[in-house]
Coordinates of all heavy atoms in Angstrom, one line a residue:
Q1365 N -35.0 5.4 22.0 CA -35.1 4.6 20.8 C -34.4 5.2 19.6 O -34.1 4.4 18.6 CB -36.6 4.3 20.5 CG -37.3 3.4 21.5 CD -38.7 3.1 21.2 OE1 -39.3 3.9 20.4 NE2 -39.2 2.0 21.6
K1366 N -34.2 6.4 19.5 CA -33.7 7.1 18.4 C -32.2 7.5 18.5 O -31.6 7.9 17.5 CB -34.5 8.3 18.0 CG -36.0 8.0 17.6 CD -36.6 9.2 17.0 CE -36.6 10.4 17.7 NZ -37.2 11.6 17.0
T1367 N -31.6 7.4 19.6 CA -30.3 8.0 19.9 C -29.5 7.1 20.8 O -29.9 6.7 21.9 CB -30.4 9.4 20.5 OG1 -31.3 10.2 19.7 CG2 -29.1 10.1 20.5
S1368 N -28.2 6.9 20.4 CA -27.2 6.4 21.2 C -26.0 7.3 21.3 O -25.9 8.2 20.4 CB -26.7 5.0 20.7 OG -27.8 4.0 20.7
V1369 N -25.2 7.1 22.3 CA -24.0 8.0 22.4 C -22.7 7.1 22.5 O -22.6 6.2 23.3 CB -24.1 8.8 23.7 CG1 -22.9 9.7 23.9 CG2 -25.3 9.7 23.8
L1370 N -21.8 7.4 21.6 CA -20.6 6.7 21.5 C -19.5 7.5 22.3 O -19.1 8.7 21.9 CB -20.0 6.6 20.1 CG -18.6 6.0 19.9 CD1 -18.6 4.6 20.5 CD2 -18.3 6.0 18.4
E1371 N -19.1 7.0 23.5 CA -18.3 7.7 24.4 C -16.8 7.4 24.0 O -16.3 6.4 24.3 CB -18.5 7.3 25.8 CG -19.9 7.7 26.3 CD -20.2 7.4 27.8 OE1 -19.3 6.7 28.4 OE2 -21.2 7.9 28.3
L1372 N -16.1 8.5 23.5 CA -14.8 8.3 23.0 C -13.8 9.0 24.0 O -12.6 9.3 23.7 CB -14.6 9.0 21.6 CG -15.4 8.4 20.5 CD1 -15.1 9.1 19.2 CD2 -15.1 6.9 20.3
F1373 N -14.2 9.1 25.3 CA -13.4 9.9 26.2 C -12.9 9.1 27.4 O -12.7 9.7 28.5 CB -14.2 11.2 26.7 CG -15.6 10.8 27.2 CD1 -15.7 10.2 28.4 CD2 -16.7 11.3 26.5 CE1 -17.0 9.9 28.9 CE2 -18.0 11.0 27.0 CZ -18.1 10.3 28.2
H1374 N -12.6 7.9 27.2 CA -12.2 7.1 28.3 C -10.7 6.8 28.4 O -10.2 6.0 29.1 CB -13.0 5.8 28.4 CG -14.4 6.0 28.7 ND1 -14.9 6.2 30.0 CD2 -15.5 6.1 27.9 CE1 -16.2 6.4 30.0 NE2 -16.6 6.3 28.7
G1375 N -9.9 7.5 27.5 CA -8.5 7.4 27.5 C -7.8 8.2 28.5 O -8.4 8.9 29.3
M1376 N -6.5 8.3 28.5 CA -5.7 9.0 29.5 C -6.1 10.4 29.7 O -6.2 11.0 30.8 CB -4.2 8.9 29.1 CG -3.3 9.8 29.9 SD -3.2 9.3 31.6 CE -2.2 7.8 31.5
T1377 N -6.4 11.2 28.6 CA -6.7 12.6 28.7 C -8.1 13.0 28.4 O -8.5 14.1 28.2 CB -5.8 13.5 27.8 OG1 -6.1 13.2 26.4 CG2 -4.3 13.2 28.1
L1378 N -9.0 11.9 28.4 CA -10.4 12.0 28.4 C -11.0 12.7 27.2 O -11.9 13.5 27.2 CB -10.9 12.9 29.6 CG -10.5 12.3 31.0 CD1 -11.0 13.2 32.1 CD2 -10.9 10.8 31.2
S1379 N -10.4 12.4 26.0 CA -10.9 12.9 24.7 C -10.6 11.9 23.6 O -9.8 11.0 23.8 CB -10.4 14.3 24.3 OG -9.2 14.2 23.5
F1380 N -11.3 12.0 22.5 CA -11.2 11.1 21.4 C -9.8 11.1 20.8 O -9.3 10.2 20.2 CB -12.2 11.3 20.3 CG -11.9 12.5 19.4 CD1 -11.2 12.3 18.2 CD2 -12.3 13.8 19.8 CE1 -10.9 13.4 17.4 CE2 -12.0 14.9 18.9 CZ -11.3 14.7 17.7
K1381 N -9.0 12.2 21.1 CA -7.7 12.4 20.6 C -6.7 11.3 21.1 O -5.7 11.0 20.5 CB -7.2 13.8 20.9 CG -8.1 15.0 20.5 CD -8.2 15.1 19.0 CE -9.2 16.3 18.7 NZ -8.6 17.6 18.9
D1382 N -7.1 10.7 22.2 CA -6.2 9.7 22.8 C -6.0 8.5 21.9 O -4.9 7.9 21.8 CB -6.8 9.2 24.1 CG -6.6 10.2 25.2 OD1 -5.5 10.8 25.3 OD2 -7.5 10.4 26.0
F1383 N -7.0 8.2 21.1 CA -6.9 7.0 20.1 C -5.8 7.2 19.1 O -4.9 6.4 19.0 CB -8.2 6.8 19.4 CG -9.4 6.2 20.3 CD1 -10.2 7.1 20.9 CD2 -9.5 4.8 20.3 CE1 -11.3 6.6 21.7 CE2 -10.6 4.4 21.1 CZ -11.4 5.2 21.8
G1384 N -5.9 8.3 18.4 CA -4.9 8.6 17.4 C -3.5 9.0 17.9 O -2.5 8.5 17.4
A1385 N -3.5 9.8 19.0 CA -2.2 10.2 19.5 C -1.4 9.0 20.0 O -0.2 8.9 19.8 CB -2.4 11.2 20.6
R1386 N -2.0 8.1 20.8 CA -1.3 7.0 21.3 C -0.8 6.1 20.2 O 0.2 5.5 20.3 CB -2.2 6.2 22.3 CG -2.4 6.9 23.6 CD -3.5 6.2 24.5 NE -3.1 4.9 24.9 CZ -2.3 4.6 25.9 NH1 -1.8 5.5 26.6 NH2 -2.0 3.3 26.2
F1387 N -1.7 5.9 19.2 CA -1.3 5.0 18.0 C -0.1 5.5 17.3 O 0.9 4.9 17.1 CB -2.5 4.9 17.1 CG -2.2 4.0 15.9 CD1 -2.5 2.6 16.0 CD2 -1.5 4.4 14.8 CE1 -2.3 1.8 14.9 CE2 -1.3 3.6 13.7 CZ -1.7 2.3 13.7
L1388 N -0.1 6.9 17.1 CA 1.1 7.5 16.4 C 2.3 7.4 17.2 O 3.4 7.1 16.7 CB 0.7 8.9 16.0 CG 1.9 9.7 15.3 CD1 2.2 9.0 14.0 CD2 1.4 11.1 15.0
A1389 N 2.2 7.7 18.5 CA 3.4 7.7 19.4 C 4.0 6.3 19.4 O 5.2 6.1 19.4 CB 3.0 8.1 20.8
N1390 N 3.1 5.3 19.6 CA 3.7 3.9 19.6 C 4.2 3.5 18.3 O 5.3 2.7 18.2 CB 2.6 2.9 20.0 CG 2.2 3.1 21.5 OD1 3.1 3.3 22.3 ND2 0.9 3.0 21.9
A1391 N 3.6 3.9 17.2 CA 4.2 3.6 15.8 C 5.6 4.2 15.6 O 6.5 3.6 15.2 CB 3.2 4.0 14.8
L1392 N 5.7 5.5 15.9 CA 6.9 6.2 15.7 C 8.0 5.7 16.6 O 9.2 5.7 16.2 CB 6.8 7.7 15.9 CG 6.0 8.5 14.9 CD1 5.8 10.0 15.3 CD2 6.6 8.3 13.5
S1393 N 7.7 5.2 17.8 CA 8.7 4.7 18.8 C 9.3 3.4 18.2 O 10.4 3.0 18.7 CB 8.1 4.4 20.1 OG 7.1 3.4 20.1
H1394 N 8.7 2.8 17.2 CA 9.2 1.6 16.6 C 10.1 1.9 15.4 O 10.7 0.9 14.7 CB 8.1 0.6 16.2 CG 7.5 -0.1 17.4 ND1 8.1 -1.1 18.1 CD2 6.3 0.1 18.0 CE1 7.4 -1.6 19.0 NE2 6.2 -0.8 19.0
I1395 N 10.2 3.1 15.0 CA 11.0 3.5 13.8 C 12.3 4.0 14.2 O 12.4 4.9 15.0 CB 10.2 4.6 13.0 CG1 8.9 4.1 12.5 CG2 11.1 5.1 11.8 CD1 8.0 5.1 11.8
K1396 N 13.4 3.5 13.7 CA 14.8 3.9 14.0 C 15.2 5.0 13.1 O 15.0 4.9 11.8 CB 15.7 2.7 13.9 CG 15.5 1.6 14.9 CD 16.4 0.4 14.7 CE 16.2 -0.7 15.8 NZ 17.1 -1.8 15.6
T1397 N 15.8 6.1 13.7 CA 16.3 7.2 12.9 C 17.7 7.6 13.3 O 18.2 7.3 14.4 CB 15.3 8.4 13.0 OG1 15.3 8.8 14.4 CG2 14.0 8.1 12.5
D1398 N 18.4 8.5 12.4 CA 19.7 8.9 12.8 C 19.7 10.2 13.6 O 20.7 10.7 14.1 CB 20.5 9.1 11.5 CG 19.9 10.0 10.6 OD1 18.7 10.4 10.7 OD2 20.6 10.5 9.6
K1399 N 18.6 10.9 13.7 CA 18.4 12.1 14.6 C 17.0 12.1 15.1 O 16.1 11.3 14.7 CB 18.7 13.4 13.8 CG 17.9 13.5 12.5 CD 18.4 14.8 11.8 CE 17.7 15.0 10.5 NZ 18.1 16.1 9.7
K1400 N 16.8 12.9 16.1 CA 15.6 12.9 16.9 C 14.4 13.3 16.0 O 14.5 14.3 15.2 CB 15.7 13.8 18.1 CG 16.5 13.1 19.3 CD 16.3 13.8 20.6 CE 16.9 13.0 21.8 NZ 16.7 13.7 23.0
F1401 N 13.2 12.8 16.3 CA 12.0 13.3 15.9 C 11.7 14.5 16.7 O 12.0 14.6 17.9 CB 10.8 12.3 16.1 CG 10.7 11.2 15.0 CD1 10.9 9.9 15.5 CD2 10.5 11.5 13.7 CE1 10.8 8.9 14.5 CE2 10.5 10.5 12.8 CZ 10.6 9.2 13.2
T1402 N 11.0 15.5 16.1 CA 10.3 16.6 16.8 C 8.8 16.5 16.5 O 8.5 16.7 15.3 CB 10.9 18.0 16.5 OG1 12.2 18.0 17.1 CG2 10.1 19.1 17.2
I1403 N 8.0 16.3 17.4 CA 6.6 16.4 17.2 C 6.1 17.8 17.5 O 6.3 18.2 18.7 CB 5.8 15.4 18.1 CG1 6.3 13.9 17.8 CG2 4.3 15.5 17.9 CD1 6.0 13.5 16.4
M1404 N 5.6 18.5 16.5 CA 5.1 19.9 16.8 C 3.6 19.9 16.4 O 3.2 19.5 15.3 CB 5.8 20.9 15.9 CG 5.4 22.3 16.2 SD 6.1 23.6 15.1 CE 7.9 23.4 15.6
V1405 N 2.8 20.3 17.4 CA 1.4 20.2 17.2 C 0.7 21.4 17.7 O 1.1 22.0 18.7 CB 0.8 18.9 17.9 CG1 1.0 19.0 19.4 CG2 -0.7 18.8 17.6
A1406 N -0.2 22.0 16.9 CA -1.1 23.1 17.3 C -2.4 22.5 17.8 O -2.9 21.5 17.3 CB -1.4 24.0 16.1
T1407 N -2.8 23.1 18.9 CA -4.1 22.6 19.5 C -5.0 23.7 19.8 O -4.6 24.7 20.2 CB -3.7 21.8 20.8 OG1 -4.9 21.2 21.3 CG2 -3.0 22.6 21.8
S1408 N -6.3 23.4 19.6 CA -7.4 24.3 20.1 C -8.0 23.8 21.4 O -9.1 24.2 21.8 CB -8.4 24.5 18.9 OG -8.9 23.2 18.6

Side-chain angles (χ1 to χ4, degrees):
Q1365 290 186 335
K1366 297 197 301 180
T1367 310
S1368 299
V1369 178
L1370 175 57
E1371 295 183 350
L1372 298 180
F1373 51 70
H1374 293 279
M1376 170 64 75
T1377 66
L1378 307 181
S1379 92
F1380 78 94
K1381 309 290 179 74
D1382 286 319
F1383 289 88
R1386 287 171 63 83
F1387 183 93
L1388 179 59
N1390 287 320
L1392 289 179
S1393 68
H1394 286 285
I1395 297 175
K1396 295 181 179 180
T1397 61
D1398 57 345
K1399 54 186 174 182
K1400 283 193 173 185
F1401 283 117
T1402 294
I1403 301 297
M1404 185 185 293
V1405 62
T1407 182
S1408 54

